[in-house]
């Protein structure tokens, strides 16, 4: 999971970190440098508050994708040899892709990852495995619930960014929209595969949603 | 807080307080403080008449200075309104005394010539100059006062620095960290341009910490005082912030791009190494601090060893688990439990 990169790979960055450093009393570090690659997801900014907000958003999203990753891992661990496994594997691969993208963003912009990652590791796996033990329908119900929460979360982020300045955050908005569409697709896939046929579905649905919402809220509040 | 009042009572008596207001010196005094200081002033035996006269003269000089010298800003009230002013100077001059005969709020468009110096820059200038006086006066307000005088300002401009010696130490730390970041960035350029070899992680960390600690050598005699200032409760948030940005910078240039819990363990380890090495350095008397660098070397080796050991333990653990699984399956086969009936 951890990547250790030799300094050569920092050819992508130009001479200085992408975003200016905080915490200096003498302020000659406010230079803002655009990356050598043309495509930068987080717009460079020298406003501390804005930077903090963007970092927070990226941190929460990263944690969310990490958790989703672990949920699918849990489901695969239980249902890995059944008929439904190719489907879950496919969805899991997409989540892995999302996680990879967020890892990149965090590394490039020197965003601190959340301290609660080990917790999400265990909780996600437990949720995935637990729901899968209820059978294929249970796993699908969990998927539906979780993806619904994620989509809501992404939507609220999109709303926030649109309210602030849609043009400035074009790339970021594009990225979040793309990921949200993927998650909605997973949600619909889950629905297609008899997620609603489980009697326990209602409670389980709520529980997964709640779990996910709690996670997002904790992250939002504590990891500023 | 009480510590702060006592400090100020040395410099300001009740009369001086009124003078300060009248001559627009940056003194952050709330009404309660003013009364307390005034009371303390009258009963204070610390200020002799000579000192009182000196201070009044100094303040008068500042008054004349401020009329002719635009770079010593009469309180730049407009800067209070500037967004993003985060330093302690942002609330300067907000005395709630109503006796402010000469003050006029500078409007937003006042004094914006190209050579206009912000208050932050002025403070930075004074503090940088104050570093030269540290060996003589220690990390104290006296050093700042001496520096202010060499810059042609009144020594009472130390009133600008609410945190006194704390401001000086934090400024020095920030300066050192900025210098370190520059050096590391420069080295990184060299590597990218192919002009230098990339160092191994352990060596890189060792060099980075050594570079940073060598910046303390000119002030090593008074550094314990500075360290204790940094540990004062009101300075702890700032000093922790500086420490964490420095450690983050070092790991970033060492190539760390982790996005999991390793991010925290690595930085915690390096923080521990840095702090302990600093402590060793302060009481090291060997030539060119050889013992310190040897200590640093050993600590970094320890951390690298631990990391390797952890990896080995994990690999061994996985192998053992696989072995056990294999044994269990073999047993099931042998006892026929694996077959379907």
């Amino acid at each position: 999971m951890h990547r250790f990169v030799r300094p050569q790979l920092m050819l992508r960055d130009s001479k200085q970190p992408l975003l200016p450093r905080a915490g200096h009393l003498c302020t000659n570090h406010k230079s803002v440098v655009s990356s050598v690659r043309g495509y930068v997801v987080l717009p460079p900014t020298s406003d501390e508050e804005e930077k903090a907000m963007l970092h927070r958003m990226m941190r929460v999203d990263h944690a969310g994708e990490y958790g989703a990753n672990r949920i699918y891992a849990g489901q695969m661990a239980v249902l890995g040899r059944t008929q439904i496994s190719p489907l879950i594997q496919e969805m899991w691969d997409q989540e892995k892709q999302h996680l990879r993208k967020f890892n990149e963003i965090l590394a490039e912009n020197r965003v601190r990852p959340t301290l609660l990652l080990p917790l999400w590791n265990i909780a996600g796996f437990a949720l995935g495995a637990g729901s899968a033990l209820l059978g294929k329908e249970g796993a699908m119900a969990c998927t539906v619930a979780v993806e619904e929460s994620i989509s809501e979360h992404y939507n609220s982020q999109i709303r926030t960014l649109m309210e602030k300045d849609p043009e400035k955050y074009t790339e970021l908005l594009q990225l979040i929209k793309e990921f949200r569409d993927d998650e909605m697709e997973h949600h619909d896939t889950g629905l297609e595969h008899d997620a609603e046929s489980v009697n326990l579905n209602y409670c389980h649905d709520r529980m997964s949603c709640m779990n996910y919402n709690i996670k997002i809220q904790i992250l939002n509040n504590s990891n500023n | 807080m009480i510590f702060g009042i006592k400090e100020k009572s040395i410099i300001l008596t009740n009369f001086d307080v009124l003078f300060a207001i009248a001559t627009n010196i940056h003194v952050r005094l709330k009404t309660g403080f003013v009364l307390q200081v005034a009371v303390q002033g009258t009963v204070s035996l610390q200020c002799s008449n000579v000192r009182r006269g000196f201070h009044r003269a100094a303040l008068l000089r500042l008054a004349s200075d401020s009329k002719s010298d635009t770079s010593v800003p009469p309180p730049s009230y407009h800067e209070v309104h500037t967004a993003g002013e985060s330093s302690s100077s942002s609330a300067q001059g907000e005395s709630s005394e109503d006796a402010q005969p000469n003050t006029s709020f500078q409007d937003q468009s006042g004094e914006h010539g190209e050579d206009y110096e912000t208050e932050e820059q002025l403070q930075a200038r004074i503090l940088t100059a104050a570093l030269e006086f540290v060996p003589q006066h220690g990390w104290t307000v006296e050093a700042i006062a001496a520096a202010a005088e060499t810059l042609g300002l009144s020594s009472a401009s130390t009133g600008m620095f609410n945190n006194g010696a704390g401001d000086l130490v934090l400024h020095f730390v920030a300066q050192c960290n900025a210098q370190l970041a520059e050096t590391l960035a420069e080295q990184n350029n060299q590597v990218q341009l192919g002009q230098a070899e990339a160092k191994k992680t352990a060596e890189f960390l060792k060099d980075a910490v050594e570079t940073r600690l060598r910046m303390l050598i000119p002030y090593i005699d008074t550094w314990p005082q500075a360290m204790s200032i940094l540990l004062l409760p009101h300075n702890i948030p700032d000093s922790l912030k500086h420490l964490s940005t420095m450690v983050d910078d070092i790991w970033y240039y060492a190539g760390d791009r982790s996005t999991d819990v390793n991010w925290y363990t690595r930085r915690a380890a390096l923080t521990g190494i840095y702090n302990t090495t600093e402590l060793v350095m302060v009481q090291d008397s060997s030539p060119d601090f050889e013992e310190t660098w040897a200590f640093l070397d050993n600590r970094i080796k320890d951390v690298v060893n631990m990391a390797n050991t952890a990896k080995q333990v994990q690999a061994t653990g996985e192998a053992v688990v696989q072995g056990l699984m294999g044994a269990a399956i073999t047993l099931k086969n042998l006892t026929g439990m694996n077959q379907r009936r």
Side-chain angles (χ1 to χ4, degrees), chain B residues 6 62 84 91 122 130 281 286 315 319 322:
Chain B
K6 280 223 164 63
L62 180 62
L122 173 68
M281 189 175 176
S286 59
Q322 281 189 350

Side-chain angles (χ1 to χ4, degrees), chain B residues 275-295:
Chain B
N275 283 334
T276 48
T277 313
E278 195 182 4
L279 285 172
V280 166
M281 189 175 176
V282 157
Q283 49 81 51
D284 186 12
S285 50
S286 59
D288 195 35
F289 299 94
E290 286 162 356
E291 279 175 18
T292 309
W293 313 134
F295 178 87

Side-chain angles (χ1 to χ4, degrees), chain B residues 282-323:
Chain B
V282 157
Q283 49 81 51
D284 186 12
S285 50
S286 59
D288 195 35
F289 299 94
E290 286 162 356
E291 279 175 18
T292 309
W293 313 134
F295 178 87
L296 174 61
D297 209 18
N298 287 335
R299 293 291 76 71
I300 292 192
K301 280 207 183 83
D302 284 345
V303 166
V304 168
N305 274 343
M306 249 188 345
N308 286 341
T309 313
K311 262 188 239 164
Q312 280 177 358
V313 163
Q314 199 188 14
T316 311
E318 277 170 18
V320 163
V321 163
Q322 281 189 350

Side-chain angles (χ1 to χ4, degrees), chain A residues 131-143:
Chain A
S131 65
L133 285 172
L134 296 172
K136 157 192 157 216
E137 288 83 11
M140 289 297 123
C142 170
T143 305

Side-chain angles (χ1 to χ4, degrees), chain B residues 81-239:
Chain B
H81 306 293
T82 316
E85 270 282 294
S86 57
S87 74
S88 57
S89 60
S90 61
Q92 290 302 334
E94 289 202 294
S95 165
S96 47
E97 275 292 310
D98 46 4
Q100 298 186 22
N102 300 338
T103 56
S104 54
F105 277 84
Q106 298 280 337
D107 62 32
Q108 301 270 347
S109 59
E111 304 211 280
H112 277 311
E114 271 156 5
D115 52 353
Y116 179 70
E117 185 185 41
T118 65
E119 196 167 309
E120 249 183 31
Q121 287 171 338
L122 173 68
Q123 288 190 341
R125 223 165 31 106
I126 297 179
L127 291 176
T128 310
L131 291 176
E132 288 169 49
F133 294 92
V134 163
Q136 193 186 350
H137 294 287
W139 299 90
T140 55
V141 191
E142 277 83 38
I144 306 181
E149 290 191 334
T150 57
L151 290 179
L153 304 166
S154 149
S155 65
S157 37
T158 56
M160 258 202 290
F161 302 103
N162 299 295
N163 207 0
D167 273 335
L168 181 57
V169 178
L170 288 171
H171 170 85
F172 174 65
V173 168
Q175 202 178 39
C176 288
N177 289 350
Q179 223 177 317
L180 176 70
E182 242 178 77
T183 311
L184 292 177
E186 186 51 47
Q187 281 178 10
N188 187 38
N189 283 346
Q190 298 276 321
V191 168
Q192 284 181 30
L193 296 173
Q195 289 169 7
E197 289 292 317
K199 296 185 209 169
K200 284 196 175 302
T201 312
E203 204 192 317
F204 183 94
L205 295 178
K206 178 175 180 310
D207 286 341
V209 175
E210 187 179 331
T211 310
R212 176 62 177 80
L213 285 175
R214 277 193 184 275
M215 297 180 198
L216 301 179
I217 291 182
Y219 308 97
I220 197 69
D221 295 324
T222 47
W223 193 245
Q225 186 192 11
M227 282 170 70
S228 62
I229 291 177
L230 285 175
L231 285 173
L232 289 173
H234 57 270
N235 285 331
I236 285 186
D238 282 325
S239 68

